[in-house]
Amino acid sequence: MKVAVHPFLLALFGALPVAAGVHEVWWNLSYAYNVSPDGLVPRRAIGVNGTWPPPPISVSANDTLIVHATNYLDNPSSLHHHGMYANKTAWYDGAVSITQCGIPYGQTATYVVDIPGSGQWGTYWVHAHSYGQYTDGLRAPFIIHPLQELQTYDDEYVVVLGDWYHQEHDPLLKHFMSIANPGGAEPVPDAPLMYFAHGDAYLPPIASATPNVSPSTNSVGFNENATLPFESGKTYRLRIVNTGAFAAMFFWIDGHEMRVIEVDGTDVEPYVVEQLNIAVAQRYSVLVTARNDTSSNWAIHGNMDTVMFDTVPASLNPNATSTITYSSSNSLKNLSPVPLEFYQPTDETVFVPSVVQPQLPPADQVVDLEVTFDTMNDGTNHAMFNMKTYNFPKVPTVFTQVEYANQNITELAFGELAFTLDHLSVVDIVVKNGDVGKHPFHIHGHKFQIINRGVDYTSNDTTLNPPLKEGQANPIRRDTIQLLPLHSATLRFVADNPGSWLFHCHIDWHFSSGLAAVFVEATPLLADASVPQFFKDQCATLDLPSQGNAAGNQDPNNLKGLPEGPFPQILGWRPKGIGAMFGCVLTATLGMATVTWYAVSGRKLTDEQLEEEVRRQRATKKSWKSVVASKLKSA
C-alpha cells in the first residue's frame, strides 16, 4: 500500500537535495541472561547480539533498511517491521507461516525494508512474529524521519511502554491453552515497563539507581530509574510505542500539556489530550513544551489497564512512574493517584490527518468478522472469528500465492479464515467484538480508514449502532485499532498490495489461540514474483514444505490434511468437558484459599489507594461480563 502524498509535500520534498542511502544492521537473535528491568526477578530474555533490550533503529524516509537476522534461539524466529507495507515483497513481512517458514537455528534471513518505495515515515517498531518471542523481549522501536517535518520541535525521545513477565512465554502459553484453564484467563504481567530512547541509543538510568544484576539492564533506565532531561522553553516530540504482549497502557505527564501529532505513522493536526489509552502495538507522537518554572521535576505515568486482567495479584504494582528532570537537585511532583474516571479510552476519530485523504468509495468487498471465545471440544479455550479458530497453513500463504498465481484456485486452498481480495478493490472489514475483553486488531501490509464505530453492535438503536456514512472528508488512518466489549468498527482500505496479509488481535495470548485471519490479495499479480531462495531453503531445513496449498498438497483442490479445529463444544457433559470443569473448580478453590490466607494473615497492599482503584476496576469488568453475556444471549 502506498500512502497518498499531499501536493505541498511533493513540492517540498522535490526542492530538497535527496541522497538515498542504505541503513544496514546485523542482528544475532540471542539470549541475554539475568535480565531484570523491573528489578525483581532475573530471567533469560531474547535480545540482540547478547544484550537486552534490542537496539532502537532510526532511519530517514529515503533510506532502505536491510536487516541481517541470524537465529541463535531455541525455536525458529523471524522479524516483523510493524506497520510497514512491504509493497509487493510480502515475503519480507516476517509473519511465520504466512510469509516465511521461520529462520532455523544458526541460519540468517535478510529483510529488505523498502522505505522509499512505501512512502512511509513516523513511529513504528520491530518485533519477532514467531513462538511468542516478542513477549520474551525481541522488540524494539523503529523510527523513520521524513525529509521535512510538518511540526517544529527542538528534540525528540522515544517512550517505550510494555508489560513484563517473570516466566518465559512457553510455559505461560501451555497453561493458558490447557484444559486447566477452560475460561481462558490470560497470564497477568508481573510488571509494567517504561524506558526511553534518543536516536539509536537508550537513555541510561538516573545516577542514584541501584545497580542491577544484569550488565545489559544496568545500562538502561527503567521505570523509576528512567528520566527525560528537559530544558525550559524547549519543545520535545515524544514518540510513544506500546510494545507489550497483553496490557493496554494509560500514559500522561503531570504538569505538562500533550499535543498529539501522529497516530500509527499518520501525521495529524495538533490535538490536546489529558492522557492517552495506548493499546498493544499502537503508537502516538505528542509535542510537550517544557515549563518556564523549572523548580520541580515531574512524574511521567505509564499505567497498565488492569480491567483487562481476570485477576490482579496483590503483589502487582500496575503503574510505572518515570520523571521529567529539570535539575537533579529538584524535588519530584507526582499528582497521582487520579480518579478512576480519568482512565478513558482514546477516541481516535477526533484526530485529523494532515495529509488529506477523503473516504474511499463504497466497498466492493465486505468481510464480516465477529469475535468470540469458547471452550472447545478438546476442553481448551480458543479465540475465533465467525466461530472458527485460525490455524496456520502448512505452506506459507504467500508461497502458495506465487505458485498458483496463474490458476483459478479455491479460496480454501489458502486455509480457513483466508479471504481472497481482488486487485484494487475497496475492502471493508467489519469487526464486531462479542467477547468480554478489549482487543487491539492490527492489519499487515496496509493502513485502514476508520469509517464507522458502534458501541453495541447487537442493538437496533442507531445511537449505539449507527449506520455507515459515506463521503467523510478525511477519516483517521492507522494500522491498529482497539475494540471494547460489544463495540464494532468498519475499516476500509484499497487492495493495492499483492501478497498475504495477517489481520489479528495483537494480544499475544489471543493471537496464539487463534484470533486471526489472512487477506490473500491480488494473487494473479504475483505470477512473475520470485520468493528469495533462502526462504525456501530454510523451510527445507525445518522439514516444512515450501510448495503446495495450505494442506501441503500439490493439487490445489486437494484439501486432505488441511489444518483445522478444535471446534466449539457440543452442548452436554462429555469427558473432556468434565475434566475442564474440574480444572475450573480446582482453580476457583485455590483462589478462595488464597483470599482466605490473605485475610487471616492480615497482609495488605502497601498502597491502599491502588488497592481501592483495582477493586473498582474489577467490579467494572464484572459488570461488563454480565452486560455482554446478556446482550449476546438476546441477540
Side-chain angles (χ1 to χ4, degrees), residues 111-179:
Y111 296 92
V112 179
V113 184
D114 180 9
I115 301 170
S118 70
Q120 292 177 266
W121 58 84
T123 306
Y124 302 89
W125 59 305
V126 56
H127 61 83
H129 218 294
S130 175
Y131 291 90
Q133 290 168 349
Y134 101 76
T135 303
D136 284 335
L138 188 43
R139 57 202 195 197
F142 169 37
I143 309 304
I144 305 174
H145 297 276
L147 304 184
Q148 178 65 49
E149 289 283 4
L150 293 181
Q151 305 296 331
T152 300
Y153 49 89
D154 298 290
D155 205 348
E156 68 173 52
Y157 298 102
V158 180
V159 178
V160 184
L161 302 175
D163 47 29
W164 188 251
Y165 290 87
H166 293 158
Q167 278 188 280
E168 292 189 13
H169 177 269
D170 283 357
L172 291 172
L173 181 64
K174 286 176 182 176
H175 175 73
F176 174 62
M177 299 290 292
S178 74
I179 62 172

Side-chain angles (χ1 to χ4, degrees), residues 38 162-164 190-194 223 249 302 304 316-320:
D38 60 347
D163 47 29
W164 188 251
D190 293 294
L193 291 183
M194 177 161 47
N223 298 354
M249 304 290 287
M304 293 195 293
L316 174 65
N317 177 3
N319 303 335

Side-chain angles (χ1 to χ4, degrees), residues 230 233-236 256-257 259 287-291 326:
F230 269 28
K234 288 190 175 182
T235 295
Y236 298 88
H256 294 73
E257 180 183 83
R259 305 185 300 282
L287 293 181
V288 180
T289 299
R291 297 171 63 92
Y326 288 100

Side-chain angles (χ1 to χ4, degrees), residues 1 401 419-424 444-446 493-501 519-526:
M1 175 180 178
Q401 274 191 284
F419 300 90
T420 56
L421 305 179
D422 297 330
H423 183 50
L424 298 181
H444 290 221
H446 293 277
F493 66 97
V494 176
D496 60 358
N497 192 5
S500 299
W501 309 109
F519 294 111
V520 182
E521 187 172 330
T523 297
L525 270 68
L526 293 173

